[in-house]
Amino acid sequence: MSRSAHPAGPRHADVLPEGHYSAPATDLNELDPKVWSRTVTRDADGALTVGGIEVARLAQEFGTPAYFLDESDFRARCRAWADAFGTEADVFYAGKAFLSRAVVRWLKEEGLNLDVCSGGELATALDAGMPAERIAFHGNNKTVAEIERAVEAGVGRIVLDSFQEIARVSHIAQRLGIRQRVQIRVTVGVEAHTHEFIATAHEDQKFGIALADGQAAEAVRRALTLDGLELIGIHSHIGSQIFDMAGFEVSARRVVQLLAEIRDEHGVELPEIDLGGGLGIAYTSDDDPREPHEIAKALGDIVTRECESAGLRTPRISVEPGRAIVGPTAFTLYEVGTIKPLEGLRTYVSVDGGMSDNIRTALYDAEYSVALVSRSSEAAPMLVRVVGKHCESGDIVVKDAFLPADLAPGDLIAVPATGAYCRSMASNYNHALRPPVVAVRDGQARVIVRRETEEDLLRLDVG
Ligand SMILES: *Cc1c(COP(=O)(O)O)cnc(C)c1O
């Protein structure tokens, strides 16, 4: 994984354990629009506002830590994806990034489809009124009960992940008198993360059926003979936080090759291919994500070209962005607590949340930005590590960043681009109360997922 490079700085160069850091060239008061949601600005007093509301007011009304989700930005991103892919392709929002009933309603209104990968996500989607035919059901170990629920509900597709599941889904569908539309998830031997992709040996994982040794062709053979299944296409998902389209190129080429083999062997041209999600977003100013229309064009061109050379009709393409839609639309607001300067090293800034509301830094060494948002400051930059309040030294929210040196307890700081995989992966570690998600739009803020209470915790603990 590429790390953002901080060029050598004279002040700390000989003492810093991990590379060299120098104060950023940009003004710390500036909010890079790449990493903040679209309606975020600083007002005349220097305080951050989102959807026209100042953070101090949000903190007062909803408390901290809390996630603030810019609803108009979320909707705009949905529309951008839907428009980019047009009527010839389908966009499925990957619900695991962040799902709530409000989000389901927005997706429905903006014309997107939805991926779910558990009974809980399916229940949320159905409860909020997402038409079942617009839902795709994923996962490497769907339970029988989950499959039954999905088939009964009439989900538009189930993505089959193993030989056992091919038999299981067909059996359940037949018993329910349904011919279930399915795709087969294949592993194409490509794994992509951020700026790199690796084109070998990534069949060594729990998901999908390998293309390389003829397993995928065998899976297709079986699926085509089973009465409970209508095989509509092939699915491939190659990684996460991807900027380089080369991995998709290899993946699309291999999937199209499989379609050609299927045509040659069975005389059928499968009508769809799904290229998965994983499109990257800007967590820091060093990241340069592509726009949905560029991604749509790149993927469309690759598939069209490969199909032309294989003499196939171009299948309908689907994609499954999760992070790329919701990630940039939210920030986490924290109140600064203990500040611990370590002379010549860095300053540890503790906040009132941590790994319970953002596990990504601890889990993946993810990078984030951070800004002082309750006021502006002309103080010099200081190198900080933003840490949580949990009993764990790996409880880091932002590993390396700069904040103004006059930072003080009680200041509000915000970490942008926390819309994806933060609330959805939040935990109750140390009996933390999971923060609320507050949707902000046009001067209005409303809770869409409320803050947990001690009562919630105690209710589960039945003694
Ligand atoms: C996780 C996942 C996605 C979404 O990934 P993002 O990085 O959020 O875009 C899409 N499809 C499948 C099958 C996934 O597992």
PDB file of all heavy atoms in Angstrom, residues 94 96-97 115 138 185 235 237 239-241 276-279 320-324 421, ligand 1:
ATOM      1  N   ALA A  94     -23.124  -0.867  -2.212  1.00  0.00           N
ATOM      2  CA  ALA A  94     -22.734  -1.952  -1.300  1.00  0.00           C
ATOM      3  C   ALA A  94     -23.110  -1.565   0.130  1.00  0.00           C
ATOM      4  O   ALA A  94     -22.433  -0.764   0.775  1.00  0.00           O
ATOM      5  CB  ALA A  94     -21.239  -2.228  -1.399  1.00  0.00           C
ATOM      6  N   LYS A  96     -22.874  -2.809   2.963  1.00  0.00           N
ATOM      7  CA  LYS A  96     -22.010  -3.034   4.117  1.00  0.00           C
ATOM      8  C   LYS A  96     -21.195  -1.790   4.463  1.00  0.00           C
ATOM      9  O   LYS A  96     -20.731  -1.662   5.590  1.00  0.00           O
ATOM     10  CB  LYS A  96     -21.092  -4.232   3.855  1.00  0.00           C
ATOM     11  CG  LYS A  96     -20.054  -3.959   2.796  1.00  0.00           C
ATOM     12  CD  LYS A  96     -19.187  -5.171   2.531  1.00  0.00           C
ATOM     13  CE  LYS A  96     -18.044  -4.731   1.642  1.00  0.00           C
ATOM     14  NZ  LYS A  96     -17.467  -5.783   0.837  1.00  0.00           N
ATOM     15  N   ALA A  97     -21.011  -0.882   3.511  1.00  0.00           N
ATOM     16  CA  ALA A  97     -20.237   0.341   3.793  1.00  0.00           C
ATOM     17  C   ALA A  97     -20.937   1.184   4.861  1.00  0.00           C
ATOM     18  O   ALA A  97     -20.304   1.678   5.795  1.00  0.00           O
ATOM     19  CB  ALA A  97     -20.029   1.156   2.521  1.00  0.00           C
ATOM     20  N   ASP A 115     -26.755  -3.883  -2.712  1.00  0.00           N
ATOM     21  CA  ASP A 115     -26.121  -5.151  -2.315  1.00  0.00           C
ATOM     22  C   ASP A 115     -26.288  -5.350  -0.827  1.00  0.00           C
ATOM     23  O   ASP A 115     -25.992  -4.433  -0.050  1.00  0.00           O
ATOM     24  CB  ASP A 115     -24.594  -5.044  -2.482  1.00  0.00           C
ATOM     25  CG  ASP A 115     -24.105  -5.474  -3.829  1.00  0.00           C
ATOM     26  OD1 ASP A 115     -24.925  -5.829  -4.682  1.00  0.00           O
ATOM     27  OD2 ASP A 115     -22.880  -5.436  -4.010  1.00  0.00           O
ATOM     28  N   HIS A 138     -25.226 -11.219  -1.378  1.00  0.00           N
ATOM     29  CA  HIS A 138     -23.844 -11.696  -1.454  1.00  0.00           C
ATOM     30  C   HIS A 138     -23.449 -12.451  -0.210  1.00  0.00           C
ATOM     31  O   HIS A 138     -24.120 -12.371   0.810  1.00  0.00           O
ATOM     32  CB  HIS A 138     -22.897 -10.479  -1.458  1.00  0.00           C
ATOM     33  CG  HIS A 138     -22.748  -9.859  -2.780  1.00  0.00           C
ATOM     34  ND1 HIS A 138     -21.802 -10.268  -3.673  1.00  0.00           N
ATOM     35  CD2 HIS A 138     -23.411  -8.834  -3.360  1.00  0.00           C
ATOM     36  CE1 HIS A 138     -21.888  -9.514  -4.758  1.00  0.00           C
ATOM     37  NE2 HIS A 138     -22.854  -8.636  -4.603  1.00  0.00           N
ATOM     38  N   ARG A 185     -19.850 -15.936  -8.504  1.00  0.00           N
ATOM     39  CA  ARG A 185     -18.688 -15.099  -8.195  1.00  0.00           C
ATOM     40  C   ARG A 185     -17.410 -15.880  -8.454  1.00  0.00           C
ATOM     41  O   ARG A 185     -17.187 -16.948  -7.892  1.00  0.00           O
ATOM     42  CB  ARG A 185     -18.716 -14.648  -6.731  1.00  0.00           C
ATOM     43  CG  ARG A 185     -17.473 -13.860  -6.362  1.00  0.00           C
ATOM     44  CD  ARG A 185     -17.647 -13.074  -5.103  1.00  0.00           C
ATOM     45  NE  ARG A 185     -16.407 -12.419  -4.726  1.00  0.00           N
ATOM     46  CZ  ARG A 185     -16.282 -11.624  -3.681  1.00  0.00           C
ATOM     47  NH1 ARG A 185     -17.338 -11.372  -2.923  1.00  0.00           N
ATOM     48  NH2 ARG A 185     -15.135 -11.073  -3.395  1.00  0.00           N
ATOM     49  N   HIS A 235     -19.716 -12.755 -11.771  1.00  0.00           N
ATOM     50  CA  HIS A 235     -19.395 -11.663 -10.857  1.00  0.00           C
ATOM     51  C   HIS A 235     -17.934 -11.732 -10.446  1.00  0.00           C
ATOM     52  O   HIS A 235     -17.397 -12.814 -10.200  1.00  0.00           O
ATOM     53  CB  HIS A 235     -20.265 -11.805  -9.604  1.00  0.00           C
ATOM     54  CG  HIS A 235     -20.034 -10.739  -8.586  1.00  0.00           C
ATOM     55  ND1 HIS A 235     -18.933 -10.720  -7.764  1.00  0.00           N
ATOM     56  CD2 HIS A 235     -20.757  -9.643  -8.271  1.00  0.00           C
ATOM     57  CE1 HIS A 235     -18.999  -9.648  -6.994  1.00  0.00           C
ATOM     58  NE2 HIS A 235     -20.095  -8.979  -7.276  1.00  0.00           N
ATOM     59  N   HIS A 237     -15.081  -9.376  -7.928  1.00  0.00           N
ATOM     60  CA  HIS A 237     -14.787  -8.211  -7.074  1.00  0.00           C
ATOM     61  C   HIS A 237     -13.330  -8.347  -6.668  1.00  0.00           C
ATOM     62  O   HIS A 237     -12.945  -9.354  -6.087  1.00  0.00           O
ATOM     63  CB  HIS A 237     -15.703  -8.217  -5.847  1.00  0.00           C
ATOM     64  CG  HIS A 237     -15.365  -7.184  -4.813  1.00  0.00           C
ATOM     65  ND1 HIS A 237     -15.662  -5.843  -4.981  1.00  0.00           N
ATOM     66  CD2 HIS A 237     -14.747  -7.297  -3.606  1.00  0.00           C
ATOM     67  CE1 HIS A 237     -15.235  -5.178  -3.900  1.00  0.00           C
ATOM     68  NE2 HIS A 237     -14.671  -6.031  -3.060  1.00  0.00           N
ATOM     69  N   GLY A 239     -11.042  -6.031  -4.976  1.00  0.00           N
ATOM     70  CA  GLY A 239     -10.309  -5.407  -3.871  1.00  0.00           C
ATOM     71  C   GLY A 239     -11.005  -4.171  -3.369  1.00  0.00           C
ATOM     72  O   GLY A 239     -12.214  -4.032  -3.510  1.00  0.00           O
ATOM     73  N   SER A 240     -10.228  -3.286  -2.752  1.00  0.00           N
ATOM     74  CA  SER A 240     -10.821  -2.093  -2.170  1.00  0.00           C
ATOM     75  C   SER A 240      -9.878  -0.910  -2.287  1.00  0.00           C
ATOM     76  O   SER A 240      -8.663  -1.088  -2.437  1.00  0.00           O
ATOM     77  CB  SER A 240     -11.137  -2.340  -0.695  1.00  0.00           C
ATOM     78  OG  SER A 240      -9.963  -2.631   0.004  1.00  0.00           O
ATOM     79  N   GLN A 241     -10.483   0.285  -2.230  1.00  0.00           N
ATOM     80  CA  GLN A 241      -9.708   1.536  -2.275  1.00  0.00           C
ATOM     81  C   GLN A 241      -8.747   1.524  -3.478  1.00  0.00           C
ATOM     82  O   GLN A 241      -7.566   1.826  -3.373  1.00  0.00           O
ATOM     83  CB  GLN A 241      -8.993   1.736  -0.928  1.00  0.00           C
ATOM     84  CG  GLN A 241      -8.240   3.047  -0.713  1.00  0.00           C
ATOM     85  CD  GLN A 241      -9.108   4.296  -0.828  1.00  0.00           C
ATOM     86  OE1 GLN A 241     -10.310   4.251  -1.032  1.00  0.00           O
ATOM     87  NE2 GLN A 241      -8.502   5.462  -0.749  1.00  0.00           N
ATOM     88  N   GLY A 276     -17.981  -5.667  -9.613  1.00  0.00           N
ATOM     89  CA  GLY A 276     -17.760  -5.442  -8.185  1.00  0.00           C
ATOM     90  C   GLY A 276     -17.559  -3.980  -7.835  1.00  0.00           C
ATOM     91  O   GLY A 276     -17.848  -3.073  -8.617  1.00  0.00           O
ATOM     92  N   GLY A 277     -17.053  -3.765  -6.635  1.00  0.00           N
ATOM     93  CA  GLY A 277     -16.822  -2.398  -6.144  1.00  0.00           C
ATOM     94  C   GLY A 277     -15.347  -2.187  -5.917  1.00  0.00           C
ATOM     95  O   GLY A 277     -14.516  -2.760  -6.601  1.00  0.00           O
ATOM     96  N   GLY A 278     -15.050  -1.372  -4.910  1.00  0.00           N
ATOM     97  CA  GLY A 278     -13.652  -1.169  -4.552  1.00  0.00           C
ATOM     98  C   GLY A 278     -13.039   0.116  -5.054  1.00  0.00           C
ATOM     99  O   GLY A 278     -11.828   0.312  -4.908  1.00  0.00           O
ATOM    100  N   LEU A 279     -13.834   1.001  -5.640  1.00  0.00           N
ATOM    101  CA  LEU A 279     -13.276   2.246  -6.166  1.00  0.00           C
ATOM    102  C   LEU A 279     -12.852   3.178  -5.029  1.00  0.00           C
ATOM    103  O   LEU A 279     -13.573   3.344  -4.055  1.00  0.00           O
ATOM    104  CB  LEU A 279     -14.305   2.966  -7.063  1.00  0.00           C
ATOM    105  CG  LEU A 279     -14.625   2.327  -8.422  1.00  0.00           C
ATOM    106  CD1 LEU A 279     -13.366   1.881  -9.148  1.00  0.00           C
ATOM    107  CD2 LEU A 279     -15.598   1.203  -8.329  1.00  0.00           C
ATOM    108  N   GLU A 320     -20.560  -2.144  -8.072  1.00  0.00           N
ATOM    109  CA  GLU A 320     -21.035  -2.154  -6.688  1.00  0.00           C
ATOM    110  C   GLU A 320     -20.229  -1.214  -5.791  1.00  0.00           C
ATOM    111  O   GLU A 320     -19.577  -1.660  -4.848  1.00  0.00           O
ATOM    112  CB  GLU A 320     -20.933  -3.582  -6.139  1.00  0.00           C
ATOM    113  CG  GLU A 320     -21.678  -4.597  -6.978  1.00  0.00           C
ATOM    114  CD  GLU A 320     -21.417  -6.033  -6.534  1.00  0.00           C
ATOM    115  OE1 GLU A 320     -20.283  -6.355  -6.129  1.00  0.00           O
ATOM    116  OE2 GLU A 320     -22.372  -6.831  -6.593  1.00  0.00           O
ATOM    117  N   PRO A 321     -20.273   0.077  -6.052  1.00  0.00           N
ATOM    118  CA  PRO A 321     -19.519   0.987  -5.188  1.00  0.00           C
ATOM    119  C   PRO A 321     -20.190   1.141  -3.827  1.00  0.00           C
ATOM    120  O   PRO A 321     -21.404   1.294  -3.741  1.00  0.00           O
ATOM    121  CB  PRO A 321     -19.578   2.318  -5.955  1.00  0.00           C
ATOM    122  CG  PRO A 321     -20.855   2.239  -6.734  1.00  0.00           C
ATOM    123  CD  PRO A 321     -21.041   0.786  -7.093  1.00  0.00           C
ATOM    124  N   GLY A 322     -19.400   1.041  -2.770  1.00  0.00           N
ATOM    125  CA  GLY A 322     -19.910   1.325  -1.431  1.00  0.00           C
ATOM    126  C   GLY A 322     -19.208   2.565  -0.923  1.00  0.00           C
ATOM    127  O   GLY A 322     -19.773   3.662  -0.849  1.00  0.00           O
ATOM    128  N   ARG A 323     -17.915   2.386  -0.639  1.00  0.00           N
ATOM    129  CA  ARG A 323     -17.088   3.478  -0.150  1.00  0.00           C
ATOM    130  C   ARG A 323     -17.165   4.733  -1.045  1.00  0.00           C
ATOM    131  O   ARG A 323     -17.262   5.849  -0.540  1.00  0.00           O
ATOM    132  CB  ARG A 323     -15.633   2.995  -0.129  1.00  0.00           C
ATOM    133  CG  ARG A 323     -14.628   3.971   0.445  1.00  0.00           C
ATOM    134  CD  ARG A 323     -13.204   3.515   0.094  1.00  0.00           C
ATOM    135  NE  ARG A 323     -13.032   2.091   0.228  1.00  0.00           N
ATOM    136  CZ  ARG A 323     -12.647   1.479   1.332  1.00  0.00           C
ATOM    137  NH1 ARG A 323     -12.344   2.176   2.396  1.00  0.00           N
ATOM    138  NH2 ARG A 323     -12.531   0.159   1.364  1.00  0.00           N
ATOM    139  N   ALA A 324     -17.148   4.523  -2.364  1.00  0.00           N
ATOM    140  CA  ALA A 324     -17.076   5.674  -3.275  1.00  0.00           C
ATOM    141  C   ALA A 324     -18.340   6.529  -3.207  1.00  0.00           C
ATOM    142  O   ALA A 324     -18.328   7.694  -3.594  1.00  0.00           O
ATOM    143  CB  ALA A 324     -16.831   5.211  -4.706  1.00  0.00           C
ATOM    144  N   TYR A 421     -17.557   2.176   6.315  1.00  0.00           N
ATOM    145  CA  TYR A 421     -16.839   1.224   7.165  1.00  0.00           C
ATOM    146  C   TYR A 421     -16.404   1.811   8.506  1.00  0.00           C
ATOM    147  O   TYR A 421     -15.434   1.352   9.086  1.00  0.00           O
ATOM    148  CB  TYR A 421     -15.636   0.618   6.416  1.00  0.00           C
ATOM    149  CG  TYR A 421     -16.043  -0.002   5.104  1.00  0.00           C
ATOM    150  CD1 TYR A 421     -15.736   0.610   3.883  1.00  0.00           C
ATOM    151  CD2 TYR A 421     -16.808  -1.163   5.080  1.00  0.00           C
ATOM    152  CE1 TYR A 421     -16.159   0.057   2.682  1.00  0.00           C
ATOM    153  CE2 TYR A 421     -17.234  -1.721   3.880  1.00  0.00           C
ATOM    154  CZ  TYR A 421     -16.905  -1.099   2.685  1.00  0.00           C
ATOM    155  OH  TYR A 421     -17.332  -1.636   1.509  1.00  0.00           O
TER     156      TYR A 421
HETATM  157  C1  LIG B   1     -17.128  -4.855  -0.208  1.00  0.00           C
HETATM  158  C2  LIG B   1     -17.717  -5.161  -1.510  1.00  0.00           C
HETATM  159  C3  LIG B   1     -18.126  -4.127  -2.344  1.00  0.00           C
HETATM  160  C4  LIG B   1     -17.943  -2.677  -2.007  1.00  0.00           C
HETATM  161  O1  LIG B   1     -16.625  -2.320  -1.860  1.00  0.00           O
HETATM  162  P1  LIG B   1     -16.252  -0.739  -1.751  1.00  0.00           P
HETATM  163  O2  LIG B   1     -14.781  -0.769  -1.528  1.00  0.00           O
HETATM  164  O3  LIG B   1     -17.002  -0.204  -0.595  1.00  0.00           O
HETATM  165  O4  LIG B   1     -16.658  -0.108  -3.024  1.00  0.00           O
HETATM  166  C5  LIG B   1     -18.729  -4.462  -3.532  1.00  0.00           C
HETATM  167  N1  LIG B   1     -18.922  -5.747  -3.886  1.00  0.00           N
HETATM  168  C6  LIG B   1     -18.549  -6.773  -3.091  1.00  0.00           C
HETATM  169  C7  LIG B   1     -18.800  -8.151  -3.531  1.00  0.00           C
HETATM  170  C8  LIG B   1     -17.926  -6.516  -1.891  1.00  0.00           C
HETATM  171  O5  LIG B   1     -17.538  -7.528  -1.114  1.00  0.00           O
END
